[in-house]
Amino acid sequence: MQHNWSKYLRWIITLLIACTAVGLFFGKPLYGLTAGLLAYLWWTLAQAKRLYQWLGNPSGGDEAPQSVGLWGDIFDGLHRLHQNHLRTQDKLRAQINRVQESTNAMRDGVIMTDSRGAMEWWNGSAEHLLGFRRSSDRGQFIHNLIRNPAFKAYFDSRDYREPLELNSPAKPHIHLQIQISLFGDDDRLIVAKDVTRLFQLEQMRRDFVGNVSHEMRTPLTVISGYLETLVDNADDLPPKWRRAINTMAQQSSRMEALITDLILLSRIETGEQTINNAVTDLQAMIQQICHDAKALSGDQGHELNVSIGDRHLLRGDESQLRSAFSNLIFNAVKYTPAGGSITVIWKTDRDGGHLSVKDTGIGIDPVHIPRLTERFYRADPSRHKETGGTGLGLAIVKHVLLNHDGNLEIQSRIGDGSEFICHFPRERLAERLPETAS
């Protein structure tokens, strides 16, 4: 390139010298130089005009203007750059088309918006699931089309760790799961998944458990009543029947406990049980539960230590909280060998309130911890046979904590006992009990 530039410069200088020599031949060297400069300027302006016209509409099929010297190389170089640009543009367009085609083939709705929620692009499934229209909705704010306060709060929260479930604004019978991801300059990628079938199956399961539990309670109560009568009069029965009657009575009591837990869990899950956010005195509640736990311990000699901080008032449903705390404390008694110790601690800090129930039992393999709150999940089925557990206690605890904006933390290791910690947010703490009217 430097060699070509030197060549063009020598050519221009040679031309100007020749024009000056011609002018000198006629006794006017300055006129000759001026004429050469004007000729070169005119030629340069002509080439610049051709370049300007070509750049104004350089379609892919148009050849670059033909010229010689410096301008010829400029035209050729720009033409090569233009062709490379067109090839790159075609590749990018093909890739974009392929991405859009693959996205349009998805059954999930995909929407791209800017940071404010203005809609930039969406696929065909989004039109089907959410009722968007390409002719009029581009540039509209998505929360004007999905008019749901929960969606607006979810979009603005920027906390997208958990998906949001709601009904489609265009087809209310479709239940959607919305997941948002951040990308680019604070833009949003929104994925809407049709989970209607899963939602219906879950609703059917809840209805089945709730209805069957209620229907079983009446006949089981009758059976338990007659069994209690037989147990009370076991001395009048033949000896070979006494053991059978006692075993039937024990299993009947276990079934009653199972049905009671199923009904409670069903009410908590479906929202049938209204949550009362009254101020609850946890000190009195925990002391009463621990008193009952001592009675449950009986002659096993468990050491029960209780520590309750000064700030022990919590906003929540007393019935649900009592059910959750008693499940944890009674489980610690059931699964701690005789002579072991159980420590119950309520404390508060800047993060909120925390109830810890720690025992010196045999512990749980950490591999089971993620599934402990599932219904009927048994880390060690033999232990439930011995204690009569229903397998629903921790599921009830989890749902009670969800209703109170809290979460359950489980720490355990085989041979080192277990610790269950209920965490509540600061907003749930209260300063004092409400005054009662005299």
Side-chain angles (χ1 to χ4, degrees):
M1 184 65 68
Q2 183 66 30
H3 174 73
N4 289 341
W5 173 253
S6 300
K7 177 182 176 182
Y8 301 142
L9 187 60
R10 288 196 300 271
W11 184 84
I12 292 172
I13 293 173
T14 302
L15 176 64
L16 293 177
I17 292 174
C19 291
T20 303
V22 171
L24 182 63
F25 178 78
F26 291 103
K28 302 287 184 179
L30 185 60
Y31 286 175
L33 176 62
T34 302
L37 288 173
L38 290 174
Y40 180 74
L41 177 61
W42 174 84
W43 185 74
T44 300
L45 289 176
Q47 303 306 313
K49 180 181 178 181
R50 297 175 66 194
L51 175 62
Y52 177 79
Q53 292 175 340
W54 180 63
L55 292 178
N57 186 26
S59 59
D62 288 350
E63 292 293 333
Q66 299 297 318
S67 185
V68 296
L70 176 63
W71 282 100
D73 287 348
I74 290 176
F75 288 144
D76 291 342
L78 289 175
H79 183 64
R80 285 193 299 270
L81 289 176
H82 180 59
Q83 293 299 317
N84 291 335
H85 171 72
L86 290 178
R87 284 193 292 270
T88 303
Q89 193 176 53
D90 290 340
K91 289 180 181 179
L92 291 176
R93 187 178 290 110
Q95 291 178 356
I96 292 174
N97 290 337
R98 185 172 179 82
V99 170
Q100 290 184 345
E101 289 175 1
S102 61
T103 307
N104 281 321
M106 294 175 60
R107 300 183 63 182
D108 298 340
V110 180
I111 309 103
M112 294 174 60
T113 74
D114 62 14
S115 58
R116 299 180 302 159
M119 296 174 55
E120 298 176 345
W121 180 87
W122 58 91
N123 66 350
S125 295
E127 295 184 358
H128 169 71
L129 296 174
L130 295 164
F132 296 157
R133 293 173 294 183
R134 293 192 181 276
S135 59
S136 59
D137 291 342
R138 187 177 302 277
Q140 296 287 331
F141 291 108
I142 190 169
H143 44 74
N144 290 338
L145 301 176
I146 305 178
R147 294 181 176 273
N148 189 308
F151 175 79
K152 180 67 165 60
Y154 181 63
F155 186 92
D156 294 337
S157 68
R158 297 176 56 87
D159 182 5
Y160 306 132
R161 289 173 294 181
E162 296 294 331
L164 172 70
E165 293 192 5
L166 48 79
N167 291 327
S168 167
K171 302 177 180 179
H173 65 280
I174 296 180
H175 196 76
L176 300 176
Q177 184 182 78
I178 306 293
Q179 181 73 63
I180 301 180
S181 301
L182 292 170
F183 75 98
D185 189 14
D186 204 28
D187 297 332
R188 265 73 165 180
L189 178 67
I190 304 172
V191 179
K193 186 175 183 179
D194 184 355
V195 293
T196 305
R197 181 174 175 78
L198 292 176
F199 178 77
Q200 291 174 343
L201 289 173
E202 180 67 14
Q203 190 63 42
M204 289 173 59
R205 181 196 63 76
R206 292 177 179 177
D207 293 342
F208 174 79
V209 170
N211 293 335
V212 169
S213 300
H214 280 91
E215 293 298 326
M216 289 178 62
R217 168 169 276 185
T218 300
L220 187 59
T221 301
V222 175
I223 294 172
S224 298
Y226 281 114
L227 286 172
E228 288 179 4
T229 302
L230 291 174
V231 170
D232 293 339
N233 297 277
D235 294 339
D236 299 333
L237 297 175
K240 64 180 181 179
W241 289 103
R242 293 175 188 172
R243 181 179 178 184
I245 294 298
N246 287 328
T247 302
M248 291 168 65
Q250 292 174 0
Q251 295 304 317
S252 175
S253 298
R254 185 176 179 183
M255 286 189 66
E256 282 187 322
L258 175 60
I259 290 174
T260 299
D261 285 351
L262 280 172
I263 293 175
L264 175 62
L265 184 57
S266 177
R267 288 176 177 173
I268 294 174
E269 283 183 332
T270 58
E272 180 182 338
Q273 189 178 53
T274 304
I275 299 177
N276 178 15
N277 286 324
V279 177
T280 301
D281 186 354
L282 294 187
Q283 183 173 20
M285 178 191 293
I286 294 172
Q287 288 177 345
Q288 179 61 47
I289 295 174
C290 290
H291 176 76
D292 296 340
K294 289 181 180 179
L296 178 65
S297 174
D299 57 358
Q300 295 189 63
H302 290 128
E303 180 184 354
L304 194 58
N305 304 307
V306 182
S307 174
I308 301 175
D310 295 334
R311 195 176 179 186
H312 47 75
L313 301 180
L314 186 71
R315 296 186 185 278
D317 187 281
E318 182 174 353
S319 175
Q320 289 194 18
L321 293 173
R322 184 181 296 274
S323 175
F325 295 167
S326 59
N327 265 302
L328 293 178
I329 296 174
F330 292 168
N331 279 350
V333 173
K334 292 176 182 178
Y335 298 137
T336 300
S341 65
I342 300 161
T343 304
V344 180
I345 300 175
W346 168 262
K347 63 180 181 180
T348 58
D349 55 26
R350 64 181 182 180
D351 295 325
H354 316 275
L355 176 76
S356 168
V357 180
K358 188 173 184 179
D359 62 58
T360 58
I362 63 174
I364 305 168
D365 191 331
V367 71
H368 297 293
I369 290 179
R371 299 190 60 190
L372 283 181
T373 55
E374 295 180 10
R375 304 171 191 83
F376 304 111
Y377 183 79
R378 300 169 184 260
D380 185 355
S382 63
R383 294 174 67 190
H384 287 270
K385 294 178 181 179
E386 296 172 359
T387 61
T390 63
L392 294 172
L394 292 180
I396 292 173
V397 172
K398 182 186 77 171
H399 283 89
V400 168
L401 292 179
L402 288 175
N403 285 344
H404 291 80
D405 309 313
N407 63 284
L408 178 65
E409 178 185 356
I410 304 174
Q411 299 177 359
S412 186
R413 192 177 298 275
I414 294 178
D416 292 338
S418 304
E419 183 177 11
F420 295 81
I421 308 173
C422 301
H423 299 288
F424 297 92
R426 289 183 60 186
E427 293 76 14
R428 286 281 174 179
L429 300 178
E431 298 298 332
R432 61 180 180 177
L433 286 169
E435 296 180 1
T436 56
S438 57

PDB file of all heavy atoms in Angstrom, residues 2 48 96 160 233 237 248 270 286 351 383 409-410:
ATOM      1  N   GLN A   2       1.931   1.279   0.828  1.00  0.00           N
ATOM      2  CA  GLN A   2       2.835   2.423   0.876  1.00  0.00           C
ATOM      3  C   GLN A   2       3.553   2.591  -0.464  1.00  0.00           C
ATOM      4  O   GLN A   2       3.755   3.721  -0.938  1.00  0.00           O
ATOM      5  CB  GLN A   2       3.850   2.219   2.013  1.00  0.00           C
ATOM      6  CG  GLN A   2       4.806   3.394   2.203  1.00  0.00           C
ATOM      7  CD  GLN A   2       4.081   4.638   2.677  1.00  0.00           C
ATOM      8  OE1 GLN A   2       3.076   4.525   3.359  1.00  0.00           O
ATOM      9  NE2 GLN A   2       4.577   5.816   2.320  1.00  0.00           N
ATOM     10  N   ALA A  48     -14.860  11.870  -7.461  1.00  0.00           N
ATOM     11  CA  ALA A  48     -15.573  11.979  -6.185  1.00  0.00           C
ATOM     12  C   ALA A  48     -17.080  11.942  -6.408  1.00  0.00           C
ATOM     13  O   ALA A  48     -17.838  11.349  -5.622  1.00  0.00           O
ATOM     14  CB  ALA A  48     -15.167  13.260  -5.451  1.00  0.00           C
ATOM     15  N   ILE A  96     -30.215 -15.354  12.126  1.00  0.00           N
ATOM     16  CA  ILE A  96     -31.383 -14.806  12.828  1.00  0.00           C
ATOM     17  C   ILE A  96     -32.654 -15.540  12.388  1.00  0.00           C
ATOM     18  O   ILE A  96     -33.508 -15.888  13.207  1.00  0.00           O
ATOM     19  CB  ILE A  96     -31.492 -13.294  12.565  1.00  0.00           C
ATOM     20  CG1 ILE A  96     -30.331 -12.558  13.251  1.00  0.00           C
ATOM     21  CG2 ILE A  96     -32.827 -12.747  13.072  1.00  0.00           C
ATOM     22  CD1 ILE A  96     -30.269 -11.076  12.924  1.00  0.00           C
ATOM     23  N   TYR A 160     -35.989 -13.291  39.789  1.00  0.00           N
ATOM     24  CA  TYR A 160     -36.625 -14.286  38.933  1.00  0.00           C
ATOM     25  C   TYR A 160     -36.162 -15.706  39.256  1.00  0.00           C
ATOM     26  O   TYR A 160     -36.151 -16.573  38.376  1.00  0.00           O
ATOM     27  CB  TYR A 160     -36.338 -13.960  37.462  1.00  0.00           C
ATOM     28  CG  TYR A 160     -36.714 -12.550  37.066  1.00  0.00           C
ATOM     29  CD1 TYR A 160     -35.829 -11.743  36.341  1.00  0.00           C
ATOM     30  CD2 TYR A 160     -37.936 -12.008  37.431  1.00  0.00           C
ATOM     31  CE1 TYR A 160     -36.177 -10.454  35.976  1.00  0.00           C
ATOM     32  CE2 TYR A 160     -38.288 -10.710  37.069  1.00  0.00           C
ATOM     33  CZ  TYR A 160     -37.398  -9.944  36.346  1.00  0.00           C
ATOM     34  OH  TYR A 160     -37.748  -8.658  35.985  1.00  0.00           O
ATOM     35  N   ASN A 233     -63.166 -53.887  77.268  1.00  0.00           N
ATOM     36  CA  ASN A 233     -63.755 -55.131  77.783  1.00  0.00           C
ATOM     37  C   ASN A 233     -62.951 -56.344  77.317  1.00  0.00           C
ATOM     38  O   ASN A 233     -63.514 -57.418  77.083  1.00  0.00           O
ATOM     39  CB  ASN A 233     -65.205 -55.251  77.300  1.00  0.00           C
ATOM     40  CG  ASN A 233     -66.088 -54.128  77.821  1.00  0.00           C
ATOM     41  OD1 ASN A 233     -66.585 -54.171  78.942  1.00  0.00           O
ATOM     42  ND2 ASN A 233     -66.259 -53.089  76.994  1.00  0.00           N
ATOM     43  N   LEU A 237     -63.083 -61.159  76.612  1.00  0.00           N
ATOM     44  CA  LEU A 237     -62.867 -61.822  75.333  1.00  0.00           C
ATOM     45  C   LEU A 237     -61.933 -63.018  75.496  1.00  0.00           C
ATOM     46  O   LEU A 237     -61.136 -63.077  76.444  1.00  0.00           O
ATOM     47  CB  LEU A 237     -62.245 -60.834  74.339  1.00  0.00           C
ATOM     48  CG  LEU A 237     -63.093 -59.603  73.969  1.00  0.00           C
ATOM     49  CD1 LEU A 237     -62.289 -58.668  73.082  1.00  0.00           C
ATOM     50  CD2 LEU A 237     -64.373 -60.031  73.255  1.00  0.00           C
ATOM     51  N   MET A 248     -55.382 -53.967  66.274  1.00  0.00           N
ATOM     52  CA  MET A 248     -56.347 -53.240  65.443  1.00  0.00           C
ATOM     53  C   MET A 248     -56.582 -51.837  66.002  1.00  0.00           C
ATOM     54  O   MET A 248     -56.684 -50.865  65.240  1.00  0.00           O
ATOM     55  CB  MET A 248     -57.658 -54.017  65.361  1.00  0.00           C
ATOM     56  CG  MET A 248     -57.562 -55.308  64.556  1.00  0.00           C
ATOM     57  SD  MET A 248     -59.018 -56.358  64.756  1.00  0.00           S
ATOM     58  CE  MET A 248     -60.272 -55.328  64.028  1.00  0.00           C
ATOM     59  N   THR A 270     -54.672 -25.773  49.863  1.00  0.00           N
ATOM     60  CA  THR A 270     -55.728 -25.201  49.028  1.00  0.00           C
ATOM     61  C   THR A 270     -56.180 -23.841  49.508  1.00  0.00           C
ATOM     62  O   THR A 270     -56.980 -23.172  48.840  1.00  0.00           O
ATOM     63  CB  THR A 270     -56.943 -26.142  48.989  1.00  0.00           C
ATOM     64  OG1 THR A 270     -57.426 -26.359  50.330  1.00  0.00           O
ATOM     65  CG2 THR A 270     -56.562 -27.478  48.376  1.00  0.00           C
ATOM     66  N   ILE A 286     -44.577 -22.269  72.808  1.00  0.00           N
ATOM     67  CA  ILE A 286     -43.466 -23.227  72.832  1.00  0.00           C
ATOM     68  C   ILE A 286     -43.385 -23.927  74.178  1.00  0.00           C
ATOM     69  O   ILE A 286     -43.133 -25.145  74.255  1.00  0.00           O
ATOM     70  CB  ILE A 286     -42.146 -22.499  72.492  1.00  0.00           C
ATOM     71  CG1 ILE A 286     -42.179 -21.999  71.038  1.00  0.00           C
ATOM     72  CG2 ILE A 286     -40.949 -23.419  72.702  1.00  0.00           C
ATOM     73  CD1 ILE A 286     -41.011 -21.118  70.660  1.00  0.00           C
ATOM     74  N   ASP A 351     -32.129 -10.381  60.535  1.00  0.00           N
ATOM     75  CA  ASP A 351     -32.773 -11.075  59.414  1.00  0.00           C
ATOM     76  C   ASP A 351     -34.190 -11.517  59.734  1.00  0.00           C
ATOM     77  O   ASP A 351     -34.960 -11.836  58.830  1.00  0.00           O
ATOM     78  CB  ASP A 351     -31.943 -12.296  58.994  1.00  0.00           C
ATOM     79  CG  ASP A 351     -30.585 -11.902  58.446  1.00  0.00           C
ATOM     80  OD1 ASP A 351     -30.517 -10.842  57.785  1.00  0.00           O
ATOM     81  OD2 ASP A 351     -29.603 -12.628  58.699  1.00  0.00           O
ATOM     82  N   ARG A 383     -38.047 -46.634  61.020  1.00  0.00           N
ATOM     83  CA  ARG A 383     -38.229 -45.714  62.147  1.00  0.00           C
ATOM     84  C   ARG A 383     -39.693 -45.276  62.230  1.00  0.00           C
ATOM     85  O   ARG A 383     -40.237 -45.090  63.315  1.00  0.00           O
ATOM     86  CB  ARG A 383     -37.327 -44.485  61.975  1.00  0.00           C
ATOM     87  CG  ARG A 383     -35.856 -44.802  62.041  1.00  0.00           C
ATOM     88  CD  ARG A 383     -35.017 -43.578  61.732  1.00  0.00           C
ATOM     89  NE  ARG A 383     -35.154 -42.571  62.764  1.00  0.00           N
ATOM     90  CZ  ARG A 383     -34.682 -41.330  62.643  1.00  0.00           C
ATOM     91  NH1 ARG A 383     -34.082 -40.972  61.538  1.00  0.00           N
ATOM     92  NH2 ARG A 383     -34.835 -40.467  63.625  1.00  0.00           N
ATOM     93  N   GLU A 409     -34.870 -24.880  57.235  1.00  0.00           N
ATOM     94  CA  GLU A 409     -33.477 -25.300  57.026  1.00  0.00           C
ATOM     95  C   GLU A 409     -33.234 -26.567  57.842  1.00  0.00           C
ATOM     96  O   GLU A 409     -33.595 -26.631  59.020  1.00  0.00           O
ATOM     97  CB  GLU A 409     -32.515 -24.195  57.459  1.00  0.00           C
ATOM     98  CG  GLU A 409     -31.040 -24.577  57.308  1.00  0.00           C
ATOM     99  CD  GLU A 409     -30.103 -23.515  57.848  1.00  0.00           C
ATOM    100  OE1 GLU A 409     -30.603 -22.440  58.265  1.00  0.00           O
ATOM    101  OE2 GLU A 409     -28.879 -23.760  57.885  1.00  0.00           O
ATOM    102  N   ILE A 410     -32.628 -27.572  57.203  1.00  0.00           N
ATOM    103  CA  ILE A 410     -32.369 -28.849  57.868  1.00  0.00           C
ATOM    104  C   ILE A 410     -30.877 -29.123  57.840  1.00  0.00           C
ATOM    105  O   ILE A 410     -30.245 -29.102  56.778  1.00  0.00           O
ATOM    106  CB  ILE A 410     -33.126 -30.005  57.176  1.00  0.00           C
ATOM    107  CG1 ILE A 410     -34.629 -29.700  57.111  1.00  0.00           C
ATOM    108  CG2 ILE A 410     -32.872 -31.320  57.909  1.00  0.00           C
ATOM    109  CD1 ILE A 410     -35.420 -30.721  56.323  1.00  0.00           C
TER     110      ILE A 410
END
